Amino acid sequence: LEWTTCGIFLSLIGGFLMLQTARLRFRFTGSTVDVLRVHGLSDTGQDDAQSPDTDIGGSGGAIREKSRAIGPWGYSSIVNWEFWWPGFPVLAYFKETQVKETGQRHFFPVIMDGKTLYQQMLLNFGKSQTSKPPVEEWQQLSPLHPHGYAGYKQKLMKWWGKTEKQLALQAKIEQAKTIFEGMLDPDQRMVTIDKLKIIYQNFKVWAEKSLQQLQSTVKQFMASKSATK
């Protein structure tokens, strides 16, 4: 049942992304970027109103009629942007100050030609807070390329080392091993049970504190939202 539920969920997500791929386009003009909703195939496969602006997306077939979905946002209002990852496009993001002065964040999955999208973001969005490789290195950054594979492996190992250090995973693994061995040893079983009770109480205190912090954060967020309206 769990695998069936997971399969249905992934199928729904995949269907949604396929629908969005067919319906949405990103358009980069000389000064703005916006999202277009497309519908209706052209009989000629050409768009008489097409301009030198760059539309990102499409199935390689006929050009479709377009209507604006959201935007536009001026390039000058974009204060930061990210692209995860050049050569292996999954997610893109930008933050603009056009909607609100404190900045509005936009995340979107890369459901179009990732390389062209990355090229346009490099060209039009200005500098990001993190360095970006040139578009010419796109192919080398692919996980299927030896250079790209080595790079992603290095990033993964670096992330794992940092995560392991923050969570003290090695110490927790050793603790779990000691508890397991203690439960198997009749002479140490009662002592081990007492240790488990202490661990449970510590976890309970931590969970209650974390829940309180989460509730406080949500209240502050809702209060700030109400203040801006």
Side-chain angles (χ1 to χ4, degrees), residues 41-75:
L41 288 172
S42 167
D43 293 331
T44 62
Q46 296 181 349
D47 185 0
D48 295 335
Q50 189 176 11
S51 68
D53 305 336
T54 303
D55 290 342
I56 308 300
S59 58
I63 303 297
R64 304 182 180 200
E65 298 175 7
K66 306 180 184 72
S67 61
R68 178 172 295 155
I70 52 177
W73 304 281
Y75 298 144

mmCIF file of all heavy atoms in Angstrom, residues 41-75:
data_model
loop_
_atom_site.group_PDB
_atom_site.id
_atom_site.type_symbol
_atom_site.label_atom_id
_atom_site.label_comp_id
_atom_site.label_asym_id
_atom_site.label_seq_id
_atom_site.Cartn_x
_atom_site.Cartn_y
_atom_site.Cartn_z
ATOM 1 N N LEU A 41 -2.556 25.691 -30.935
ATOM 2 C CA LEU A 41 -1.484 25.538 -31.906
ATOM 3 C C LEU A 41 -1.761 26.389 -33.141
ATOM 4 O O LEU A 41 -2.886 26.466 -33.634
ATOM 5 C CB LEU A 41 -1.350 24.070 -32.327
ATOM 6 C CG LEU A 41 -0.759 23.135 -31.276
ATOM 7 C CD1 LEU A 41 -0.865 21.694 -31.759
ATOM 8 C CD2 LEU A 41 0.690 23.476 -31.009
ATOM 9 N N SER A 42 -0.734 27.030 -33.653
ATOM 10 C CA SER A 42 -0.850 27.804 -34.887
ATOM 11 C C SER A 42 -0.815 26.872 -36.088
ATOM 12 O O SER A 42 -0.081 25.886 -36.117
ATOM 13 C CB SER A 42 0.301 28.809 -34.970
ATOM 14 O OG SER A 42 0.384 29.362 -36.251
ATOM 15 N N ASP A 43 -1.630 27.169 -37.090
ATOM 16 C CA ASP A 43 -1.661 26.313 -38.277
ATOM 17 C C ASP A 43 -0.367 26.396 -39.062
ATOM 18 O O ASP A 43 0.053 25.423 -39.710
ATOM 19 C CB ASP A 43 -2.841 26.705 -39.187
ATOM 20 C CG ASP A 43 -4.181 26.394 -38.535
ATOM 21 O OD1 ASP A 43 -4.230 25.447 -37.727
ATOM 22 O OD2 ASP A 43 -5.164 27.095 -38.851
ATOM 23 N N THR A 44 0.263 27.557 -39.039
ATOM 24 C CA THR A 44 1.474 27.757 -39.830
ATOM 25 C C THR A 44 2.733 27.399 -39.072
ATOM 26 O O THR A 44 3.789 27.238 -39.663
ATOM 27 C CB THR A 44 1.579 29.226 -40.276
ATOM 28 O OG1 THR A 44 1.681 30.045 -39.110
ATOM 29 C CG2 THR A 44 0.343 29.638 -41.064
ATOM 30 N N GLY A 45 2.613 27.300 -37.748
ATOM 31 C CA GLY A 45 3.807 27.024 -36.947
ATOM 32 C C GLY A 45 4.641 28.264 -36.739
ATOM 33 O O GLY A 45 5.769 28.200 -36.293
ATOM 34 N N GLN A 46 4.105 29.440 -37.073
ATOM 35 C CA GLN A 46 4.825 30.690 -36.904
ATOM 36 C C GLN A 46 3.972 31.662 -36.120
ATOM 37 O O GLN A 46 2.741 31.605 -36.146
ATOM 38 C CB GLN A 46 5.195 31.307 -38.261
ATOM 39 C CG GLN A 46 6.156 30.448 -39.065
ATOM 40 C CD GLN A 46 6.517 31.083 -40.382
ATOM 41 O OE1 GLN A 46 5.903 32.058 -40.798
ATOM 42 N NE2 GLN A 46 7.510 30.529 -41.045
ATOM 43 N N ASP A 47 4.619 32.551 -35.442
ATOM 44 C CA ASP A 47 3.941 33.570 -34.640
ATOM 45 C C ASP A 47 4.227 34.921 -35.266
ATOM 46 O O ASP A 47 5.349 35.411 -35.234
ATOM 47 C CB ASP A 47 4.460 33.522 -33.204
ATOM 48 C CG ASP A 47 3.704 34.487 -32.301
ATOM 49 O OD1 ASP A 47 2.804 35.171 -32.813
ATOM 50 O OD2 ASP A 47 4.035 34.529 -31.103
ATOM 51 N N ASP A 48 3.172 35.533 -35.894
ATOM 52 C CA ASP A 48 3.370 36.796 -36.599
ATOM 53 C C ASP A 48 3.795 37.917 -35.663
ATOM 54 O O ASP A 48 4.445 38.870 -36.068
ATOM 55 C CB ASP A 48 2.073 37.199 -37.314
ATOM 56 C CG ASP A 48 1.712 36.204 -38.408
ATOM 57 O OD1 ASP A 48 2.635 35.529 -38.919
ATOM 58 O OD2 ASP A 48 0.508 36.099 -38.730
ATOM 59 N N ALA A 49 3.429 37.762 -34.380
ATOM 60 C CA ALA A 49 3.760 38.815 -33.419
ATOM 61 C C ALA A 49 5.068 38.545 -32.708
ATOM 62 O O ALA A 49 5.441 39.261 -31.800
ATOM 63 C CB ALA A 49 2.637 38.938 -32.378
ATOM 64 N N GLN A 50 5.768 37.497 -33.145
ATOM 65 C CA GLN A 50 7.001 37.132 -32.449
ATOM 66 C C GLN A 50 8.052 38.219 -32.628
ATOM 67 O O GLN A 50 8.248 38.743 -33.711
ATOM 68 C CB GLN A 50 7.521 35.801 -32.988
ATOM 69 C CG GLN A 50 8.676 35.254 -32.183
ATOM 70 C CD GLN A 50 9.102 33.886 -32.701
ATOM 71 O OE1 GLN A 50 8.667 33.467 -33.752
ATOM 72 N NE2 GLN A 50 9.958 33.231 -31.957
ATOM 73 N N SER A 51 8.716 38.549 -31.535
ATOM 74 C CA SER A 51 9.728 39.604 -31.537
ATOM 75 C C SER A 51 11.080 38.991 -31.245
ATOM 76 O O SER A 51 11.182 37.788 -30.987
ATOM 77 C CB SER A 51 9.368 40.649 -30.473
ATOM 78 O OG SER A 51 9.497 40.084 -29.188
ATOM 79 N N PRO A 52 12.168 39.780 -31.268
ATOM 80 C CA PRO A 52 13.479 39.241 -30.920
ATOM 81 C C PRO A 52 13.589 38.797 -29.473
ATOM 82 O O PRO A 52 14.614 38.283 -29.065
ATOM 83 C CB PRO A 52 14.422 40.429 -31.195
ATOM 84 C CG PRO A 52 13.693 41.286 -32.153
ATOM 85 C CD PRO A 52 12.258 41.162 -31.771
ATOM 86 N N ASP A 53 12.529 39.019 -28.659
ATOM 87 C CA ASP A 53 12.571 38.566 -27.274
ATOM 88 C C ASP A 53 12.751 37.062 -27.238
ATOM 89 O O ASP A 53 12.387 36.354 -28.177
ATOM 90 C CB ASP A 53 11.274 38.941 -26.551
ATOM 91 C CG ASP A 53 10.989 40.435 -26.638
ATOM 92 O OD1 ASP A 53 11.959 41.192 -26.821
ATOM 93 O OD2 ASP A 53 9.815 40.817 -26.555
ATOM 94 N N THR A 54 13.301 36.571 -26.142
ATOM 95 C CA THR A 54 13.596 35.150 -26.017
ATOM 96 C C THR A 54 12.537 34.448 -25.194
ATOM 97 O O THR A 54 12.301 34.812 -24.047
ATOM 98 C CB THR A 54 14.965 34.933 -25.354
ATOM 99 O OG1 THR A 54 15.946 35.612 -26.131
ATOM 100 C CG2 THR A 54 15.307 33.458 -25.263
ATOM 101 N N ASP A 55 11.858 33.451 -25.774
ATOM 102 C CA ASP A 55 10.909 32.615 -25.055
ATOM 103 C C ASP A 55 11.601 31.312 -24.682
ATOM 104 O O ASP A 55 12.153 30.623 -25.543
ATOM 105 C CB ASP A 55 9.689 32.288 -25.920
ATOM 106 C CG ASP A 55 8.803 33.504 -26.144
ATOM 107 O OD1 ASP A 55 8.946 34.458 -25.386
ATOM 108 O OD2 ASP A 55 7.980 33.475 -27.075
ATOM 109 N N ILE A 56 11.576 30.962 -23.396
ATOM 110 C CA ILE A 56 12.202 29.734 -22.918
ATOM 111 C C ILE A 56 11.127 28.697 -22.679
ATOM 112 O O ILE A 56 10.221 28.893 -21.880
ATOM 113 C CB ILE A 56 12.978 29.967 -21.612
ATOM 114 C CG1 ILE A 56 13.940 31.140 -21.785
ATOM 115 C CG2 ILE A 56 13.740 28.716 -21.217
ATOM 116 C CD1 ILE A 56 14.962 30.935 -22.865
ATOM 117 N N GLY A 57 11.213 27.584 -23.381
ATOM 118 C CA GLY A 57 10.225 26.522 -23.233
ATOM 119 C C GLY A 57 9.762 26.074 -24.597
ATOM 120 O O GLY A 57 10.267 26.493 -25.619
ATOM 121 N N GLY A 58 8.801 25.199 -24.623
ATOM 122 C CA GLY A 58 8.273 24.761 -25.898
ATOM 123 C C GLY A 58 8.627 23.341 -26.202
ATOM 124 O O GLY A 58 9.511 22.748 -25.597
ATOM 125 N N SER A 59 7.890 22.759 -27.135
ATOM 126 C CA SER A 59 8.069 21.358 -27.479
ATOM 127 C C SER A 59 8.725 21.165 -28.827
ATOM 128 O O SER A 59 8.798 20.053 -29.341
ATOM 129 C CB SER A 59 6.697 20.662 -27.470
ATOM 130 O OG SER A 59 5.819 21.310 -28.392
ATOM 131 N N GLY A 60 9.182 22.255 -29.435
ATOM 132 C CA GLY A 60 9.815 22.142 -30.734
ATOM 133 C C GLY A 60 8.808 22.096 -31.868
ATOM 134 O O GLY A 60 9.167 21.948 -33.024
ATOM 135 N N GLY A 61 7.520 22.238 -31.562
ATOM 136 C CA GLY A 61 6.479 22.209 -32.577
ATOM 137 C C GLY A 61 6.070 23.603 -32.967
ATOM 138 O O GLY A 61 6.869 24.537 -33.003
ATOM 139 N N ALA A 62 4.776 23.737 -33.230
ATOM 140 C CA ALA A 62 4.267 25.019 -33.672
ATOM 141 C C ALA A 62 4.297 26.039 -32.542
ATOM 142 O O ALA A 62 4.138 25.698 -31.378
ATOM 143 C CB ALA A 62 2.831 24.854 -34.171
ATOM 144 N N ILE A 63 4.502 27.296 -32.910
ATOM 145 C CA ILE A 63 4.436 28.372 -31.921
ATOM 146 C C ILE A 63 2.982 28.540 -31.493
ATOM 147 O O ILE A 63 2.069 28.477 -32.311
ATOM 148 C CB ILE A 63 4.961 29.689 -32.525
ATOM 149 C CG1 ILE A 63 6.392 29.507 -33.033
ATOM 150 C CG2 ILE A 63 4.879 30.810 -31.501
ATOM 151 C CD1 ILE A 63 7.363 29.178 -31.928
ATOM 152 N N ARG A 64 2.739 28.770 -30.210
ATOM 153 C CA ARG A 64 1.388 28.876 -29.710
ATOM 154 C C ARG A 64 1.039 30.322 -29.378
ATOM 155 O O ARG A 64 1.909 31.157 -29.191
ATOM 156 C CB ARG A 64 1.220 28.007 -28.463
ATOM 157 C CG ARG A 64 1.576 26.558 -28.710
ATOM 158 C CD ARG A 64 1.342 25.743 -27.472
ATOM 159 N NE ARG A 64 1.683 24.353 -27.709
ATOM 160 C CZ ARG A 64 1.247 23.344 -26.973
ATOM 161 N NH1 ARG A 64 0.457 23.566 -25.959
ATOM 162 N NH2 ARG A 64 1.599 22.110 -27.244
ATOM 163 N N GLU A 65 -0.254 30.607 -29.313
ATOM 164 C CA GLU A 65 -0.712 31.906 -28.873
ATOM 165 C C GLU A 65 -0.364 32.071 -27.402
ATOM 166 O O GLU A 65 -0.394 31.120 -26.648
ATOM 167 C CB GLU A 65 -2.217 32.024 -29.086
ATOM 168 C CG GLU A 65 -2.621 31.903 -30.550
ATOM 169 C CD GLU A 65 -4.124 31.905 -30.710
ATOM 170 O OE1 GLU A 65 -4.802 32.147 -29.687
ATOM 171 O OE2 GLU A 65 -4.594 31.679 -31.822
ATOM 172 N N LYS A 66 -0.038 33.284 -26.996
ATOM 173 C CA LYS A 66 0.472 33.514 -25.656
ATOM 174 C C LYS A 66 -0.375 34.553 -24.915
ATOM 175 O O LYS A 66 -0.886 35.489 -25.517
ATOM 176 C CB LYS A 66 1.917 34.009 -25.712
ATOM 177 C CG LYS A 66 2.862 33.126 -26.508
ATOM 178 C CD LYS A 66 4.261 33.711 -26.503
ATOM 179 C CE LYS A 66 5.197 32.906 -27.374
ATOM 180 N NZ LYS A 66 4.900 33.107 -28.810
ATOM 181 N N SER A 67 -0.520 34.372 -23.635
ATOM 182 C CA SER A 67 -1.115 35.378 -22.764
ATOM 183 C C SER A 67 -0.303 35.411 -21.485
ATOM 184 O O SER A 67 0.195 34.380 -21.034
ATOM 185 C CB SER A 67 -2.581 35.052 -22.464
ATOM 186 O OG SER A 67 -2.683 33.807 -21.802
ATOM 187 N N ARG A 68 -0.157 36.600 -20.894
ATOM 188 C CA ARG A 68 0.692 36.749 -19.726
ATOM 189 C C ARG A 68 0.055 36.081 -18.514
ATOM 190 O O ARG A 68 -1.125 36.253 -18.231
ATOM 191 C CB ARG A 68 0.955 38.218 -19.451
ATOM 192 C CG ARG A 68 1.808 38.476 -18.216
ATOM 193 C CD ARG A 68 2.198 39.932 -18.119
ATOM 194 N NE ARG A 68 3.068 40.320 -19.213
ATOM 195 C CZ ARG A 68 3.192 41.565 -19.663
ATOM 196 N NH1 ARG A 68 2.479 42.524 -19.128
ATOM 197 N NH2 ARG A 68 4.002 41.836 -20.652
ATOM 198 N N ALA A 69 0.844 35.299 -17.785
ATOM 199 C CA ALA A 69 0.362 34.634 -16.580
ATOM 200 C C ALA A 69 0.743 35.436 -15.342
ATOM 201 O O ALA A 69 -0.115 35.826 -14.561
ATOM 202 C CB ALA A 69 0.930 33.217 -16.497
ATOM 203 N N ILE A 70 2.028 35.697 -15.157
ATOM 204 C CA ILE A 70 2.496 36.516 -14.042
ATOM 205 C C ILE A 70 3.672 37.363 -14.503
ATOM 206 O O ILE A 70 4.341 37.037 -15.463
ATOM 207 C CB ILE A 70 2.925 35.657 -12.826
ATOM 208 C CG1 ILE A 70 3.913 34.572 -13.258
ATOM 209 C CG2 ILE A 70 1.731 35.054 -12.136
ATOM 210 C CD1 ILE A 70 4.428 33.749 -12.093
ATOM 211 N N GLY A 71 3.901 38.452 -13.790
ATOM 212 C CA GLY A 71 4.961 39.378 -14.164
ATOM 213 C C GLY A 71 4.370 40.555 -14.944
ATOM 214 O O GLY A 71 3.160 40.761 -14.946
ATOM 215 N N PRO A 72 5.202 41.365 -15.597
ATOM 216 C CA PRO A 72 6.659 41.205 -15.723
ATOM 217 C C PRO A 72 7.414 41.793 -14.530
ATOM 218 O O PRO A 72 6.879 42.592 -13.776
ATOM 219 C CB PRO A 72 6.972 42.012 -16.983
ATOM 220 C CG PRO A 72 5.940 43.105 -16.977
ATOM 221 C CD PRO A 72 4.693 42.497 -16.393
ATOM 222 N N TRP A 73 8.666 41.379 -14.415
ATOM 223 C CA TRP A 73 9.574 41.925 -13.410
ATOM 224 C C TRP A 73 10.751 42.559 -14.128
ATOM 225 O O TRP A 73 11.363 41.950 -15.017
ATOM 226 C CB TRP A 73 10.088 40.842 -12.469
ATOM 227 C CG TRP A 73 9.005 40.074 -11.769
ATOM 228 C CD1 TRP A 73 8.287 40.466 -10.679
ATOM 229 C CD2 TRP A 73 8.514 38.775 -12.112
ATOM 230 N NE1 TRP A 73 7.389 39.499 -10.319
ATOM 231 C CE2 TRP A 73 7.500 38.439 -11.179
ATOM 232 C CE3 TRP A 73 8.826 37.854 -13.107
ATOM 233 C CZ2 TRP A 73 6.801 37.246 -11.218
ATOM 234 C CZ3 TRP A 73 8.127 36.657 -13.161
ATOM 235 C CH2 TRP A 73 7.131 36.368 -12.223
ATOM 236 N N GLY A 74 11.070 43.783 -13.736
ATOM 237 C CA GLY A 74 12.205 44.461 -14.340
ATOM 238 C C GLY A 74 13.526 43.860 -13.873
ATOM 239 O O GLY A 74 13.663 43.477 -12.710
ATOM 240 N N TYR A 75 14.491 43.771 -14.781
ATOM 241 C CA TYR A 75 15.815 43.237 -14.413
ATOM 242 C C TYR A 75 16.450 44.051 -13.287
ATOM 243 O O TYR A 75 17.149 43.500 -12.433
ATOM 244 C CB TYR A 75 16.740 43.229 -15.628
ATOM 245 C CG TYR A 75 16.280 42.352 -16.766
ATOM 246 C CD1 TYR A 75 16.489 42.734 -18.086
ATOM 247 C CD2 TYR A 75 15.639 41.141 -16.526
ATOM 248 C CE1 TYR A 75 16.079 41.937 -19.143
ATOM 249 C CE2 TYR A 75 15.216 40.343 -17.572
ATOM 250 C CZ TYR A 75 15.439 40.750 -18.882
ATOM 251 O OH TYR A 75 15.028 39.953 -19.920
#
